Amino acid sequence: AQTVTQSQPEMSVQEAETVTLSCTYDTSESDYYLFWYKQPPSRQMILVIRQEAYKQQNATENRFSVNFQKAAKSFSLKISDSQLGDAAMYFCAYRTTSGTYKYIFGTGTRLKVLA
Amino acid sequence: DAGVIQSPRHEVTEMGQEVTLRCKPISGHNSLFWYRQTMMRGLELLIYFNNNVPIDDSGMPEDRFSAKMPNASFSTLKIQPSEPRDSAVYFCASSWGLSPDTQYFGPGTRLTVL
């Protein structure tokens, strides 16, 4: 069975600084998707970034980028130029490509942004 | 669009009672997901539907949980009988076939079972 692990329950970053959130996963599949979702206090989940395992290039979305290390089964999220609005819970998630949309989420990392 | 609508927003009940949570997905979306979120276990997928048909219910904890989607605009998650360990925030999310990973989450229902 696939698992997703986020070992940092909470992180803090100074406004305008850079922070990296860690995620590791375990799977026996060779092709899959990885995601980072943001959950602000409103509790609604927002897709931040998606990575396809067969692509070696790391995904980037504006200030958000990932460091995808397939052999190490590591998928970290880097937030550059942190803003107060980035404060939220961040979830790492996994989905197989085998036609099912069953998502497996980590337990989340709470990010605090300090002014 | 009003987004995904869930009701009630808060539910407090006593152990042994039946609880029904409701969800209205975004119009035009053809996939619907039910999640449970707790501090200990994080966010867990319980079940998801595609075109009103349950596709994967392997995340449903036990027979006390059941979910239905009688039409494209309505789904329910029922717990009978409820237990204190069912206390959690339950989210409903919907997505569209060509962008299944862009799930739109509802505001959640906070369930407390005493």
Side-chain angles (χ1 to χ4, degrees), chain A residues 35 37 39 43-45 47 50 91 95 99-103 105-107, chain B residues 33 35 37 43 45 48 56 58 91 100-103 105-108 110:
Chain A
F35 311 87
Y37 284 90
Q39 185 183 44
R43 301 202 303 220
Q44 295 190 265
M45 299 279 277
L47 176 63
R50 181 177 103 153
F91 291 92
R95 173 170 78 80
T100 175
Y101 294 118
K102 181 174 182 177
Y103 296 82
F105 287 82
T107 51
Chain B
F33 305 80
Y35 292 92
Q37 185 176 26
L43 191 65
L45 176 65
Y48 82 91
D56 191 321
S58 59
F91 288 99
D101 299 319
T102 305
Q103 297 184 33
F105 278 65
R110 182 177 294 280

Side-chain angles (χ1 to χ4, degrees), chain A residues 1-6 23-29 32-34 73-74 92-95 103-107:
Chain A
Q2 297 89 1
T3 59
V4 176
T5 302
Q6 292 179 251
C23 173
T24 58
Y25 60 94
D26 190 27
T27 182
S28 58
E29 299 179 334
Y32 44 87
Y33 296 102
L34 296 166
K73 295 180 181 174
S74 170
C92 179
Y94 168 102
R95 173 170 78 80
Y103 296 82
I104 299 169
F105 287 82
T107 51

Side-chain angles (χ1 to χ4, degrees), chain B residues 9-52:
Chain B
R9 294 292 305 275
H10 301 273
E11 176 80 28
V12 180
T13 190
E14 292 188 346
M15 183 174 63
Q17 296 298 305
E18 177 180 295
V19 175
T20 299
L21 310 182
R22 298 173 175 81
C23 175
K24 177 179 169 56
I26 292 174
S27 178
H29 283 191
N30 63 347
S31 291
L32 184 139
F33 305 80
W34 281 103
Y35 292 92
R36 177 173 68 177
Q37 185 176 26
T38 61
M39 289 290 291
M40 291 297 295
R41 300 173 67 91
L43 191 65
E44 303 172 278
L45 176 65
L46 300 177
I47 185 172
Y48 82 91
F49 297 83
N50 186 253
N51 294 325
N52 311 337

Side-chain angles (χ1 to χ4, degrees), chain A residues 13-100:
Chain A
V13 62
Q14 205 71 32
E15 196 176 4
E17 297 295 308
T18 296
V19 65
T20 299
L21 308 184
S22 301
C23 173
T24 58
Y25 60 94
D26 190 27
T27 182
S28 58
E29 299 179 334
S30 59
D31 199 14
Y32 44 87
Y33 296 102
L34 296 166
F35 311 87
W36 278 98
Y37 284 90
K38 172 185 177 181
Q39 185 183 44
S42 65
R43 301 202 303 220
Q44 295 190 265
M45 299 279 277
I46 303 165
L47 176 63
V48 174
I49 202 163
R50 181 177 103 153
Q51 174 79 43
E52 296 168 74
Y54 68 86
K55 290 186 177 179
Q56 293 186 341
Q57 185 174 6
N58 290 323
T60 299
E61 285 289 340
N62 301 315
R63 297 182 295 107
F64 298 86
S65 62
V66 297
N67 183 3
F68 174 47
Q69 301 289 328
K70 191 172 183 179
K73 295 180 181 174
S74 170
F75 183 62
S76 60
L77 174 70
K78 185 172 81 171
I79 306 174
S80 304
D81 186 25
S82 297
Q83 301 175 359
L84 295 178
D86 295 333
M89 280 287 285
Y90 286 82
F91 291 92
C92 179
Y94 168 102
R95 173 170 78 80
T96 180
T97 60
S98 63
T100 175

